[in-house]
Amino acid sequence: MVLQRNTTLKLWGWASPGEKIKIRFNGKSVNTSAGRDGKWNAALPAMKPGGPFEMQLTGKNSIILKDILIGDVWLCSGQSNMVHQMGIHNITYAEDIANANFLEIRQFLVPTTTSLSGPREDVPQGRWKWANPEDVRDFSAVAYFFARHIYNTYHIPVGIINSSVGGTPIEAWTSAEGLKEFSSLTAIIKKNQDTTYVAGLKRAARTVVVKNDEPDKGLSAPVKWFDTAYVAKGWRNINIPGYWEDQGIRDLDGVVWYRKEVIVPASMTGKPGRLFMGRIVDADVVYVNGKQIGSTAYMYPQRRYSVPPDALKPGKNLIVVRVQNNSGKGGFVPDKPYYLDAEGQKLDLKGDWLYKVGQVYRPVSRRSQPLGISEQNQPTALYNAMIAPFCNYPIKGVLWYQGESNIGNGHEYEKLLPALIKDWRARFSSPGLPFYYVQLPNFGDASYLPGESGSAVVREAALKTLKVPNTGMAVTIDLGEWNDIHPDNKKDVGDRLALLARHFTYGEKDLVYSGPLYRSSEIQGNKVLISFTNTGSGLISIDGEELSEFAVAGADKKFVWARARIVGDKVEVWSDEVPNPKYVRYAWADNPVQPNLYNFEKLPASPFRTGE
């Protein structure tokens, strides 16, 4: 456990009504008693960092809590990019995992749970773990690299409360009080508090059965298609990576089997291996020589399967992949690793495979289906169950990485993010609670013409939220991957959050903590002069090329690519096609091609637009 230093320590718990309790900790003691409802509260004076200490609680019985540290506690929350554990990125961060030996960096992982009825007082389970090669695999990668950076800088114990859930909107993390200005959400909150209504939705959803015309032929055949005894007939050629809709299969939702025979040298056999199958949309089961070696139920994780030492044999080996796709394009995501590895020896698996369709899903009218309810996406549901229980626990600050699930309502996010910050500060009784967040990274297809972008609107909402005091934003427009909403680079995200904390929270006032941020613009004839804050030691083009990803428009808002150049600590933007410029955009796309405006400290400029 890690308790927050330099602040009154709030303690609470449950006992028999009226039971007297004495608490001893780090040379201090306090007496309290439980009320009629069995609840008790106490407080200990602020303490300096240190430990480990023991806490003794004595009532009708005695409890001793051991190995308690006093340091800085950070609440780390959001959706999947905050969830993503070190173990998911174990290839990129293999050395970081192996070398983790930080007894004073600890994480409390809050189990995923929801509540529609109101705030809860406790979580179902959980315990603190310290950063060692085994347990660090379950740490949030972003939070761990943040904590390691802070610990290595100040050598103060760092605690992480990791309360995050993939695929969740910001309103799920906000209390009912925090959403009272959003009438559409308050109506949903009220409706969801009707247990009969919610139970009815769940019942109706369970009655939906999607029938398929035929069973999966690959599993129902007398000899299964993954079996080495199966003789492949009627299979066609296809390429990996790639989606089958792009290779001659039109609009198929269902199951497609892939198979490939590879020649494995004797030097790769008899030893443990790894099979890298990139990312697969949506689900897969992988077989090597007729034996299942791995499976994944949804599209996002990287497929990195262990191959047992006895799975491969010298010469011809069979790899079979059963791919299930429920909607959209199915198959293997491009620009990912596809190979077989055995202690450094690799066999490339990209290129020609054989395929055969095992099952075709019948189209179903979605309008006729009861939608059910996803509790984790409902307003207040995650706040009630995963934040409220900690609101009496003093913390140093908040780290927030979320926004992907709100791309569809980016304009509302401009109000929702400040509302969350205000709400949590009120709930934690800390008006100036530091709140540092991640601006969404680049993701999706590259756009070579100026256009609109839902991600850019959410990034703009994050940029505008810097008007809220005691906030900071980590720009990550250079850290994403076009084909993966969960980019591998989590270390730089954690480090950039740590720069914010070092500057604002830990008092390193001369530290350059951010890249250039848009401040203002001035029209000068046929050019627009852009001013920035956070220019650091000066503005640069990170690749030495002309500034890119600037677009300009006149009053008609028809944007064209513009030329741009650095003029001192400003950027001058123009286009011969727009003699009377009025608006400028920078990196305004889901995945801008090559935004290259940085400061000398190599921190990227935030995407922005002038006007709206």
Side-chain angles (χ1 to χ4, degrees), residues 12-21 32-42 60:
W12 70 96
W14 298 265
S16 299
E19 183 176 352
K20 296 184 183 301
I21 300 154
T32 187
S33 58
R36 293 180 179 179
D37 58 1
K39 300 176 183 178
W40 59 264
N41 292 275
K60 293 179 180 179

Side-chain angles (χ1 to χ4, degrees), residues 439 463 466 472-478 496 499-500 504 511-519 531-540 586 597-608:
Q439 189 188 56
L463 179 62
L466 289 175
M473 180 181 73
V475 178
T476 62
I477 196 64
D478 58 333
R496 290 179 187 179
L499 290 178
L500 296 168
F504 289 110
L511 179 71
V512 178
Y513 61 89
S514 170
L517 303 176
Y518 170 74
R519 179 168 59 188
S531 297
F532 299 88
T533 63
N534 299 92
T535 55
S537 302
L539 299 176
I540 63 168
Y586 172 69
L597 178 62
Y598 286 64
N599 57 26
F600 270 102
E601 285 70 22
K602 297 183 178 180
L603 293 171
S606 167
F608 69 89

Side-chain angles (χ1 to χ4, degrees), residues 154-170:
Y154 303 110
H155 302 288
I156 293 171
V158 180
I160 301 163
I161 299 175
N162 179 2
S163 185
S164 48
V165 180
T168 54
I170 192 171

Side-chain angles (χ1 to χ4, degrees), residues 406-425:
N406 286 94
I407 286 176
N409 64 332
H411 292 288
E412 191 175 26
Y413 199 78
E414 185 178 331
K415 298 179 181 178
L416 286 167
L417 181 55
L420 175 82
I421 297 170
K422 179 181 178 181
D423 181 44
W424 283 17
R425 287 173 172 173

